Amino acid sequence: SPFGCQAMFFQDEDIKNVATNFVANYLNLWDTNRGNLMVLYQNESQFSMQLDTSHPHLIEDANTSSNIDFGNYMPYSRNLTRISSGKARMSKVAIGTEQIFKSFQQLPKTKHNLVENPNSFSMECYKYVPLNGIVITVHGSFEEVAQPEIADTSASQGSRGGRFHSQSRHKKPNLSKKSFDRTFIVLPGPNGSMVVASDLLLIRPFTSEIPWLNQAA
Amino acid sequence: MNQDITQPIEPFLKNLLSSLDAQYNSPGQSFTNVESYATQFGSSLKREAAIIVNGTPIVPSQVEDAKLQFQKKWLSMPNSSHQLTSFDCHLIPGTNTFIINFSARVKFDQSGKNRLGESADLIQQNSIVKTVRPIWGSWFGVNGILVIDSNLNGQEIINSFDYRFTYVPKDTTLVV
């Protein structure tokens, strides 16, 4: 294409250093101890997760990964194309450390192979001018290694989403690989610390076919 | 915080994607000239917007801002058809900006013609009917990140536009 293709984009050297350290440490703690990430969030920080079950992916991957089960994400998804009630749209954003930590605990435990397989990730990082911060976006995949710490207890899910839940109301969702896109707005905090103002996580079916590996630029 | 201020974002995103999908000649719409056609691609971009496509930044020059360069490059792509499949957004307090993370699927015309209906084939059938009906290929996956002004009534409100293919089908003629 006339645009070219590369796995990584960093607006400048400073952003590159900050962003690569941030992402490496973040994903490591996301996999091992999410509580340790909470120092990055403040009262006005926002987090939400959206699910795109219809995203294109290599079909072979769906057959190998013990079928695609999104049961752990469905109740919390803020895919705004699918939620019309204003109240529901607003209730699915977690604001402040307490709500955000609870949201983190509602998601399956994971393993990101950033060290073992860095090529399977891509990033774009650039300035966020209004607050002198940076926008960091990561694309990649992870394995689900354990069920969430906090399980979904809303019984209404079973009756409302019968198509997805009728069979498995008492069964835990299958763990499998997923692909994702995640965007942070990171601001400079006091004493050289960092603050995550916004954290948007998108979950989609796993795909092993990754465009940024076939670079023809 | 009792009002849901995210309602206008979905129509905004759909307008943005359909501007990228506009065809030069279609039954519903036709443009008077190439310039009027090309300048409507992503018309809600600011001239100085940060634009990144598949990890590659568009670098503004003295004569051409980022928006214009993006529009020229998009003009040389085959016809496209986007479908918005998901989006989420946060209003960042004190900044009057939204950050949006959206996903979409897109298919491209595989007929070998560019958006102006021209083909690179040297021998062309000087043909009978000029039907420019696209031959759509398989779906690509797209993830997009936008920072936009929270006042959606403005003409040019996109501060940054990051467009990334997340999946490229194997049977495509478009080289990424």
Side-chain angles (χ1 to χ4, degrees), chain B residues 91-107:
Chain B
L91 177 68
I92 308 301
T95 67
N96 296 319
T97 63
F98 279 109
I99 181 144
I100 302 171
N101 181 331
F102 72 86
S103 73
R105 43 189 194 172
V106 60
K107 53 191 180 179

Side-chain angles (χ1 to χ4, degrees), chain B:
Chain B
M1 276 278 279
N2 276 327
Q3 191 121 29
D4 176 28
I5 32 120
T6 64
Q7 290 291 349
I9 294 198
E10 185 164 347
F12 161 78
L13 285 172
K14 287 183 169 166
N15 281 340
L16 172 65
L17 294 176
S18 59
S19 83
L20 299 177
D21 293 343
Q23 292 182 34
Y24 192 42
N25 282 307
S26 70
Q29 193 175 26
S30 92
F31 295 87
T32 47
N33 57 44
V34 175
E35 195 185 345
S36 69
Y37 175 53
T39 52
Q40 62 79 50
F41 298 136
S43 57
S44 47
L45 287 160
K46 292 186 181 179
R47 316 221 141 252
E48 70 280 15
I51 304 175
I52 303 145
V53 179
N54 287 321
T56 316
I58 292 187
V59 184
S61 72
Q62 293 284 329
V63 276
E64 288 182 348
D65 55 46
K67 180 180 185 174
L68 185 59
Q69 289 195 48
F70 169 79
Q71 290 170 330
K72 281 186 161 178
K73 289 187 179 197
W74 195 259
L75 181 68
S76 67
M77 294 276 280
N79 273 311
S80 58
S81 173
H82 284 85
Q83 226 176 56
L84 182 69
T85 51
S86 183
F87 80 95
D88 192 3
C89 59
H90 295 154
L91 177 68
I92 308 301
T95 67
N96 296 319
T97 63
F98 279 109
I99 181 144
I100 302 171
N101 181 331
F102 72 86
S103 73
R105 43 189 194 172
V106 60
K107 53 191 180 179
F108 292 96
D109 177 23
Q110 311 246 69
S111 69
K113 292 192 171 69
N114 69 11
R115 289 187 169 272
L116 301 173
E118 302 158 342
S119 129
D121 298 341
L122 287 178
I123 301 168
Q124 302 193 11
Q125 316 211 290
N126 27 354
S127 66
I128 318 106
V129 203
K130 271 184 85 183
T131 343
V132 263
R133 186 176 294 166
I135 303 163
W136 296 117
S138 307
W139 290 112
F140 289 56
V142 173
N143 179 242
I145 314 296
L146 303 171
V147 174
I148 65 167
D149 293 347
S150 58
N151 176 8
L152 279 94
N153 297 320
Q155 287 284 313
E156 298 183 332
I157 62 166
I158 303 176
N159 299 291
S160 63
F161 175 84
D162 174 5
Y163 181 102
R164 165 76 82 177
F165 288 145
T166 52
Y167 176 71
V168 174
K170 285 178 170 166
D171 57 351
T172 178
T173 56
L174 182 76
V175 177
V176 179

Side-chain angles (χ1 to χ4, degrees), chain A residues 158-210:
Chain A
S159 48
R160 269 190 87 204
R163 197 149 62 95
F164 300 110
H165 291 273
S166 57
Q167 287 180 321
S168 57
R169 199 181 301 183
H170 303 291
K171 218 182 107 202
K172 293 202 160 129
N174 288 315
L175 298 176
S176 63
K177 290 181 181 173
K178 299 282 185 291
S179 287
F180 75 98
D181 310 280
R182 189 167 187 172
T183 296
F184 304 92
I185 293 182
V186 177
L187 311 178
N191 307 321
S193 66
M194 291 194 278
V195 174
V196 174
S198 166
D199 179 352
L200 289 159
L201 172 61
L202 188 149
I203 303 286
R204 50 186 168 83
F206 174 70
T207 189
S208 61
E209 184 71 21
I210 304 166

